[in-house]
Short mmCIF file of all heavy atoms in Angstrom, two decimals:
data_model
loop_
_atom_site.label_atom_id
_atom_site.label_comp_id
_atom_site.label_asym_id
_atom_site.label_seq_id
_atom_site.Cartn_x
_atom_site.Cartn_y
_atom_site.Cartn_z
N PHE A 25 -13.27 9.33 11.25
CA PHE A 25 -12.35 9.62 10.15
C PHE A 25 -11.22 8.62 10.15
O PHE A 25 -10.54 8.40 11.15
CB PHE A 25 -11.78 11.04 10.26
CG PHE A 25 -10.81 11.37 9.16
CD1 PHE A 25 -11.25 11.52 7.87
CD2 PHE A 25 -9.45 11.50 9.43
CE1 PHE A 25 -10.36 11.81 6.84
CE2 PHE A 25 -8.56 11.79 8.40
CZ PHE A 25 -9.02 11.95 7.11
N ASP A 26 -11.00 8.00 9.00
CA ASP A 26 -9.93 7.01 8.84
C ASP A 26 -9.10 7.41 7.63
O ASP A 26 -9.61 7.46 6.51
CB ASP A 26 -10.51 5.62 8.64
CG ASP A 26 -9.48 4.52 8.79
OD1 ASP A 26 -8.35 4.71 8.28
OD2 ASP A 26 -9.77 3.48 9.39
N PRO A 27 -7.80 7.71 7.81
CA PRO A 27 -6.96 8.14 6.69
C PRO A 27 -6.26 7.00 5.96
O PRO A 27 -5.36 7.25 5.16
CB PRO A 27 -5.93 9.03 7.40
CG PRO A 27 -5.76 8.38 8.74
CD PRO A 27 -7.11 7.79 9.10
N ARG A 28 -6.67 5.77 6.18
CA ARG A 28 -5.97 4.63 5.60
C ARG A 28 -6.48 4.29 4.19
O ARG A 28 -6.74 3.14 3.87
CB ARG A 28 -6.09 3.42 6.51
CG ARG A 28 -5.38 3.56 7.86
CD ARG A 28 -5.63 2.36 8.74
NE ARG A 28 -7.06 2.18 8.98
CZ ARG A 28 -7.64 1.00 9.22
NH1 ARG A 28 -6.89 -0.09 9.23
NH2 ARG A 28 -8.94 0.92 9.43
N PHE A 29 -6.60 5.31 3.36
CA PHE A 29 -6.91 5.09 1.95
C PHE A 29 -5.63 5.26 1.15
O PHE A 29 -4.61 5.75 1.67
CB PHE A 29 -8.01 6.05 1.48
CG PHE A 29 -7.86 7.46 1.96
CD1 PHE A 29 -7.08 8.37 1.27
CD2 PHE A 29 -8.49 7.88 3.14
CE1 PHE A 29 -6.93 9.67 1.73
CE2 PHE A 29 -8.34 9.18 3.60
CZ PHE A 29 -7.56 10.08 2.90
N ASP A 30 -5.66 4.88 -0.12
CA ASP A 30 -4.45 4.89 -0.94
C ASP A 30 -4.34 6.12 -1.83
O ASP A 30 -3.25 6.65 -2.03
CB ASP A 30 -4.42 3.63 -1.83
CG ASP A 30 -4.51 2.36 -1.03
OD1 ASP A 30 -3.55 2.05 -0.32
OD2 ASP A 30 -5.56 1.68 -1.11
N LEU A 31 -5.47 6.54 -2.39
CA LEU A 31 -5.50 7.63 -3.35
C LEU A 31 -6.55 8.65 -2.94
O LEU A 31 -7.59 8.28 -2.38
CB LEU A 31 -5.84 7.13 -4.76
CG LEU A 31 -5.08 5.94 -5.31
CD1 LEU A 31 -5.65 5.51 -6.67
CD2 LEU A 31 -3.60 6.25 -5.45
N VAL A 32 -6.28 9.91 -3.22
CA VAL A 32 -7.29 10.95 -3.02
C VAL A 32 -7.44 11.70 -4.33
O VAL A 32 -6.45 12.13 -4.94
CB VAL A 32 -6.94 11.90 -1.85
CG1 VAL A 32 -5.59 12.57 -2.04
CG2 VAL A 32 -8.03 12.95 -1.67
N GLU A 33 -8.67 11.83 -4.77
CA GLU A 33 -8.97 12.49 -6.03
C GLU A 33 -8.88 14.01 -5.82
O GLU A 33 -9.83 14.63 -5.35
CB GLU A 33 -10.38 12.08 -6.48
CG GLU A 33 -10.67 12.27 -7.92
CD GLU A 33 -12.02 11.69 -8.26
OE1 GLU A 33 -13.04 12.21 -7.75
OE2 GLU A 33 -12.10 10.71 -9.03
N VAL A 34 -7.74 14.58 -6.16
CA VAL A 34 -7.53 16.02 -5.98
C VAL A 34 -8.35 16.82 -6.97
O VAL A 34 -8.89 17.88 -6.66
CB VAL A 34 -6.03 16.35 -6.09
CG1 VAL A 34 -5.80 17.86 -6.16
CG2 VAL A 34 -5.27 15.76 -4.90
N VAL A 35 -8.48 16.31 -8.20
CA VAL A 35 -9.21 17.01 -9.25
C VAL A 35 -10.10 16.02 -9.99
O VAL A 35 -9.70 14.90 -10.28
CB VAL A 35 -8.25 17.66 -10.27
CG1 VAL A 35 -9.02 18.52 -11.27
CG2 VAL A 35 -7.20 18.52 -9.58
N ASP A 36 -11.34 16.45 -10.29
CA ASP A 36 -12.17 15.72 -11.24
C ASP A 36 -12.96 16.74 -12.06
O ASP A 36 -13.10 17.89 -11.67
CB ASP A 36 -13.11 14.73 -10.53
CG ASP A 36 -14.28 15.39 -9.85
OD1 ASP A 36 -14.07 16.02 -8.79
OD2 ASP A 36 -15.40 15.30 -10.37
N ALA A 37 -13.46 16.32 -13.22
CA ALA A 37 -14.06 17.26 -14.16
C ALA A 37 -15.39 17.82 -13.67
O ALA A 37 -15.88 18.80 -14.22
CB ALA A 37 -14.26 16.58 -15.52
N GLN A 38 -15.97 17.22 -12.64
CA GLN A 38 -17.24 17.73 -12.13
C GLN A 38 -17.05 18.72 -10.99
O GLN A 38 -17.99 19.35 -10.54
CB GLN A 38 -18.13 16.58 -11.63
CG GLN A 38 -18.05 15.28 -12.40
CD GLN A 38 -18.20 15.43 -13.89
OE1 GLN A 38 -18.99 16.25 -14.36
NE2 GLN A 38 -17.45 14.67 -14.65
N GLY A 39 -15.82 18.85 -10.49
CA GLY A 39 -15.59 19.74 -9.35
C GLY A 39 -14.26 20.46 -9.44
O GLY A 39 -13.46 20.45 -8.51
N ILE A 40 -14.04 21.11 -10.58
CA ILE A 40 -12.77 21.80 -10.81
C ILE A 40 -12.51 22.83 -9.71
O ILE A 40 -11.39 23.00 -9.23
CB ILE A 40 -12.77 22.47 -12.19
CG1 ILE A 40 -12.91 21.43 -13.31
CG2 ILE A 40 -11.53 23.32 -12.39
CD1 ILE A 40 -11.77 20.44 -13.37
N GLU A 41 -13.59 23.52 -9.30
CA GLU A 41 -13.42 24.60 -8.33
C GLU A 41 -13.00 24.09 -6.95
O GLU A 41 -12.54 24.87 -6.12
CB GLU A 41 -14.72 25.42 -8.21
CG GLU A 41 -15.90 24.68 -7.60
CD GLU A 41 -16.61 23.71 -8.54
OE1 GLU A 41 -16.26 23.68 -9.74
OE2 GLU A 41 -17.50 22.98 -8.07
N GLU A 42 -13.16 22.80 -6.68
CA GLU A 42 -12.80 22.25 -5.37
C GLU A 42 -11.32 21.85 -5.29
O GLU A 42 -10.82 21.53 -4.21
CB GLU A 42 -13.66 21.01 -5.09
CG GLU A 42 -15.16 21.30 -5.06
CD GLU A 42 -15.98 20.05 -5.34
OE1 GLU A 42 -15.41 18.95 -5.35
OE2 GLU A 42 -17.20 20.20 -5.56
N GLY A 43 -10.62 21.85 -6.43
CA GLY A 43 -9.28 21.30 -6.49
C GLY A 43 -8.30 21.93 -5.53
O GLY A 43 -7.51 21.23 -4.88
N ALA A 44 -8.31 23.27 -5.40
CA ALA A 44 -7.35 23.94 -4.52
C ALA A 44 -7.52 23.53 -3.07
O ALA A 44 -6.54 23.33 -2.34
CB ALA A 44 -7.48 25.45 -4.67
N ARG A 45 -8.78 23.37 -2.63
CA ARG A 45 -9.03 22.97 -1.24
C ARG A 45 -8.55 21.55 -0.99
O ARG A 45 -7.95 21.25 0.05
CB ARG A 45 -10.51 23.09 -0.92
CG ARG A 45 -11.05 24.51 -0.91
CD ARG A 45 -12.47 24.54 -0.40
NE ARG A 45 -12.54 24.19 1.01
CZ ARG A 45 -13.69 23.91 1.65
NH1 ARG A 45 -14.83 23.93 1.01
NH2 ARG A 45 -13.67 23.61 2.92
N VAL A 46 -8.82 20.66 -1.95
CA VAL A 46 -8.41 19.26 -1.77
C VAL A 46 -6.89 19.13 -1.83
O VAL A 46 -6.29 18.33 -1.10
CB VAL A 46 -9.09 18.35 -2.81
CG1 VAL A 46 -8.69 16.90 -2.59
CG2 VAL A 46 -10.61 18.49 -2.73
N LEU A 47 -6.26 19.93 -2.69
CA LEU A 47 -4.79 19.93 -2.74
C LEU A 47 -4.22 20.31 -1.38
O LEU A 47 -3.27 19.68 -0.88
CB LEU A 47 -4.32 20.91 -3.81
CG LEU A 47 -2.81 20.97 -4.06
CD1 LEU A 47 -2.28 19.64 -4.59
CD2 LEU A 47 -2.47 22.11 -5.01
N ASN A 48 -4.80 21.31 -0.73
CA ASN A 48 -4.37 21.71 0.61
C ASN A 48 -4.59 20.58 1.62
O ASN A 48 -3.72 20.31 2.47
CB ASN A 48 -5.13 22.96 1.04
CG ASN A 48 -4.69 23.48 2.39
OD1 ASN A 48 -3.56 23.88 2.56
ND2 ASN A 48 -5.61 23.48 3.35
N ASP A 49 -5.73 19.89 1.51
CA ASP A 49 -6.00 18.74 2.39
C ASP A 49 -4.93 17.67 2.22
O ASP A 49 -4.45 17.07 3.19
CB ASP A 49 -7.37 18.13 2.08
CG ASP A 49 -8.53 19.06 2.42
OD1 ASP A 49 -8.42 19.84 3.37
OD2 ASP A 49 -9.57 18.98 1.72
N TRP A 50 -4.59 17.41 0.97
CA TRP A 50 -3.58 16.37 0.68
C TRP A 50 -2.23 16.75 1.26
O TRP A 50 -1.54 15.91 1.84
CB TRP A 50 -3.50 16.16 -0.83
CG TRP A 50 -2.48 15.16 -1.26
CD1 TRP A 50 -2.34 13.87 -0.82
CD2 TRP A 50 -1.45 15.36 -2.24
NE1 TRP A 50 -1.28 13.26 -1.46
CE2 TRP A 50 -0.72 14.15 -2.33
CE3 TRP A 50 -1.08 16.43 -3.04
CZ2 TRP A 50 0.36 13.99 -3.21
CZ3 TRP A 50 -0.01 16.27 -3.91
CH2 TRP A 50 0.69 15.07 -3.98
N PHE A 51 -1.84 18.01 1.13
CA PHE A 51 -0.58 18.46 1.72
C PHE A 51 -0.57 18.20 3.23
O PHE A 51 0.45 17.78 3.80
CB PHE A 51 -0.36 19.94 1.45
CG PHE A 51 0.00 20.29 0.02
CD1 PHE A 51 -0.03 21.60 -0.42
CD2 PHE A 51 0.36 19.29 -0.88
CE1 PHE A 51 0.31 21.93 -1.72
CE2 PHE A 51 0.69 19.60 -2.20
CZ PHE A 51 0.68 20.93 -2.61
#
């Protein structure tokens, strides 16, 4: 695992239901 990326896609139109989990990951 390498966290040295610039952007994380919190929401996309193909995975709306995943948004809350990714938002928590980003926090």
Side-chain angles (χ1 to χ4, degrees):
F25 179 69
D26 193 318
R28 294 176 301 152
F29 43 86
D30 304 291
L31 311 175
V32 57
E33 200 174 65
V34 170
V35 186
D36 75 286
Q38 325 310 322
I40 298 298
E41 67 282 353
E42 300 157 11
R45 293 188 67 192
V46 182
L47 184 64
N48 183 63
D49 294 328
W50 178 53
F51 288 167

